[in-house]
Amino acid sequence: MEETRTIDFFDRTFHLSENNTNIKQECLAGLTTFVSMAYILFVNPSVLGVAGMDKGAVFTATALSAIIGCFLMGILANYPIAIAPGLGDNAFFTYSVVLAMGIPWQKAMAGVFVASVLFTILSFLKVREIVINAIPKDLKYAMAAGIGIFISFVGLQGGGIIVSSKSSLVELGSLTVPTTWITIFGIFLIAILMVKKVPGAIFIGLVATTLLGLLTGLVKMPDHLISMAPSLEPTFGVGIKFLPTMTDPKMWAVVLIFLLVAFFDTAGTLVGLAQEAGLMKDNKMPRIGRALMADSLSMLGGAVMGTTPTSAYVESSAGIAVGGKTGLTAIVTGTLFILSMAFSPLLEVVTTQVTAAALIVVGVLMVSALKDIEWDKFEIALPSFLVAIGIPLTYNISYGIAFGFLTYPILMVAAGRRKEVNVVMWSMFFVFIALLYILNVWWIIE
C-alpha cells in the first residue's frame, strides 16, 4: 500500500504516466546523466585552482551549485536537464580574466556575482524566454545537431581517438595508448546494445567499460571510498565582499561577456536537449520560463559560494537517451551530487575514457535533428550549417550560434523574405556583432 502511494506521488508530481515513463527509467536516466557529467567535480577545481582559488572549496561549491540547479530544474520546470558550473565559463574566468588581464580572482568573482544578478533579473522579466521562442525552428534544429557533433567531438578527444595537430588542427590519436581502447570498446558495446534495442544500453556500456578499466588496471581503484567535503570558507561570499571593485570599467566588460555567453550557451543547450527529448511544441519549449529561472538561481547561488556561472549540461542528453523525460531525472542527478560529496574518491574510476563512448553515441542521436532543416532553401541552409558546424569547430556554443544569427537576417532579406525576420532576430544580430567585437578586438587591444 505504501509503495503504491509512493508511486502515485511521483506520478502526480512529475507526470510520469503522461510522459510515458516510470520511476525506474527516470532513476536510470538520472544516474546516467550524473556519471556522464561527474567529471566537473574534479575539472572545475583544477581550472579555477590555476586562478589561485582554493580547490577544496571550489569542489564543494561545484557540488552544491549542481545540487541547487538540478533540484530547481526538476521541481520548477519538470525537465530531465541537469545544471552545473560550465566548462567554457571557468576557462574564460581563469585564462582570460585572471591570467591575461591580471585581475585577482576575488575581483573577478565580483563580476560573476553581478552577472548572475542581471541574469536572474532578465529571467524574471522573461527576456530570455522571448529570445528563445523567437529563434526560427531551423536554427533550433541546427543547435541540437551542433551540440550533438560538439559532444561527440569532446568524446573523441577525451577518449584519445582524436588529438591536436599543429599541421592539421586535429588528427587520429595513437592506437598504441591502452586507455584509448577502453573508449573503443565502449563505443562498440553501446552501439551493439543500441542496435539490439537493449533498455539502458548507454548506462550498461558505461558500467561495463568501467569494469574493463578496473580489471585491466587501466583505471585505478581509489585508496579510500569516503571523504568529508572540504570547507567553503575560502570562497564563500568573496564576490559580494569585493563588489566595491566594480568601479573599474574593465570589470563591466567582464560582466557583459559572462552575461552573454551564459545566456546563449544555456539557450542553445536547452533547445537542443528539448528537441532530443521530444519536448518542443509548436517550435516552443513549454515551461521555458521556469527552466531559465532554475538556471539563473543556480548561477546566483554558485556565485555566492565561489564558482563560475552554471549552465544546462549537454551531458543530460545521455540520460535523455536512456529514457529520461521528466524532472525526476534531474532530481536523481542532484541527489547523486549530494552523495558525491561524501564519496568523492569513488568518482575517480569514471574517467574521461569511460564517459567518452557514451558522449560519442549520444552525439549520433542528436545529429538526427538535421533531417528536419529545409536544406533546399539556401537562405536557411547556410545559417543552419554554420550553427551546426560552428559549435564544434570553435569549441563554443555561443560562437556557433553567432554564425547563424549573423547570416540568417542578411540572407532572408536577400531572398525577399524580410518580413519573416522578427525584431528579436535583428536585435540578436547586433548583439552578436558587439559580442564578437569585444572578445576578438577590444579585448586584445586592452
Side-chain angles (χ1 to χ4, degrees):
M1 187 71 175
E2 188 65 33
E3 182 180 351
T4 302
R5 288 179 180 175
T6 302
I7 294 173
D8 288 342
F9 169 77
F10 281 112
D11 191 49
R12 289 194 310 271
T13 304
F14 299 104
H15 307 286
L16 302 181
S17 299
E18 182 182 328
N19 287 282
N20 194 30
T21 184
N22 54 59
I23 295 176
K24 179 182 177 181
Q25 186 168 302
E26 294 291 302
C27 288
L28 179 61
L31 179 57
T32 302
T33 295
F34 173 76
V35 169
S36 298
M37 64 183 288
Y39 67 84
I40 193 61
L41 289 168
F42 303 101
V43 175
N44 202 39
S46 176
V47 174
L48 295 184
V50 176
M53 298 182 70
D54 183 276
K55 291 184 179 180
V58 173
F59 172 88
T60 304
T62 300
L64 289 175
S65 60
I67 292 165
I68 293 171
C70 290
F71 272 78
L72 287 175
M73 183 64 78
I75 295 169
L76 293 181
N78 196 28
Y79 279 136
I81 298 173
I83 293 176
L87 273 179
D89 292 318
N90 59 14
F92 173 74
F93 179 95
T94 296
Y95 299 106
S96 296
V97 178
V98 176
L99 298 183
M101 296 185 68
I103 296 175
W105 73 263
Q106 296 90 338
K107 189 176 176 181
M109 193 55 67
V112 172
F113 177 76
V114 173
S116 302
V117 172
L118 294 175
F119 207 50
T120 304
I121 293 173
L122 288 175
S123 295
F124 182 76
L125 297 176
K126 297 188 175 181
V127 173
R128 298 174 69 198
E129 182 176 348
I130 291 170
V131 171
I132 291 176
N133 286 334
I135 299 173
K137 62 180 179 63
D138 294 278
L139 293 186
K140 286 179 178 175
Y141 291 138
M143 287 180 190
I147 291 171
I149 299 171
F150 178 45
I151 63 175
S152 286
F153 184 46
V154 170
L156 290 166
Q157 185 184 43
I161 298 174
I162 296 296
V163 297
S164 62
S165 168
K166 291 183 179 180
S167 60
S168 59
L169 298 183
V170 292
E171 63 183 11
L172 180 67
S174 174
L175 297 180
T176 61
V177 178
T179 52
T180 299
W181 285 98
I182 293 179
T183 300
I184 295 173
F185 168 81
I187 294 171
F188 278 101
L189 176 60
I190 295 174
I192 292 171
L193 293 175
M194 293 283 286
V195 170
K196 294 289 186 180
K197 301 187 184 303
V198 175
I202 294 177
F203 179 70
I204 293 172
L206 285 172
V207 173
T209 306
T210 301
L211 290 176
L212 175 66
L214 291 171
L215 291 173
T216 57
L218 296 176
V219 174
K220 295 182 179 179
M221 278 293 291
D223 296 329
H224 53 283
L225 301 181
I226 300 176
S227 175
M228 292 298 293
S231 171
L232 265 180
E233 186 178 355
T235 59
F236 188 84
V238 171
I240 299 174
K241 182 180 178 181
F242 278 77
L243 280 177
T245 63
M246 289 303 300
T247 53
D248 184 350
K250 280 188 178 181
M251 287 307 301
W252 284 101
V254 172
V255 169
L256 179 62
I257 298 302
F258 273 126
L259 188 62
L260 291 177
V261 171
F263 189 110
F264 289 104
D265 269 8
T266 298
T269 304
L270 283 176
V271 169
L273 294 174
Q275 290 280 9
E276 183 192 1
L279 300 171
M280 299 293 286
K281 295 181 180 179
D282 299 323
N283 195 38
K284 292 186 178 181
M285 188 175 172
R287 306 182 304 281
I288 180 65
R290 295 183 181 184
L292 294 172
M293 185 56 69
D295 173 52
S296 301
L297 292 176
S298 63
M299 178 176 172
L300 184 59
V304 172
M305 291 182 286
T307 185
T308 43
T310 57
S311 65
Y313 256 61
V314 294
E315 284 81 1
S316 301
S317 55
I320 291 172
V322 299
K325 296 179 180 178
T326 74
L328 182 55
T329 292
I331 296 294
V332 172
T333 302
T335 302
L336 291 171
F337 269 108
I338 295 176
L339 296 176
S340 73
M341 296 179 72
F343 293 92
S344 58
L346 191 59
L347 295 174
E348 294 179 13
V349 302
V350 186
T351 63
T352 55
Q353 289 80 19
V354 170
T355 59
L359 296 181
I360 293 165
V361 172
V362 168
V364 175
L365 300 176
M366 295 188 71
V367 169
S368 64
L370 289 174
K371 72 180 185 299
D372 297 312
I373 295 173
E374 296 183 87
W375 294 108
D376 57 330
K377 297 176 181 177
F378 198 74
E379 63 272 23
I380 298 293
L382 181 61
S384 299
F385 174 78
L386 290 177
V387 170
I389 202 69
I391 290 175
L393 291 186
T394 62
Y395 222 74
N396 188 296
I397 295 174
S398 292
Y399 278 159
I401 294 174
F403 293 166
F405 278 46
L406 290 174
T407 53
Y408 178 81
I410 295 174
L411 294 185
M412 288 294 281
V413 170
R417 301 173 63 181
R418 179 177 57 83
K419 292 182 179 180
E420 296 180 44
V421 183
N422 56 55
V423 175
V424 174
M425 289 302 293
W426 278 116
S427 299
M428 291 302 100
F429 175 83
F430 292 106
V431 166
F432 274 112
I433 288 176
L435 175 62
L436 293 176
Y437 173 79
I438 292 172
L439 282 175
N440 297 282
V441 180
W442 182 87
W443 205 265
I444 295 174
I445 294 174
E446 287 294 308

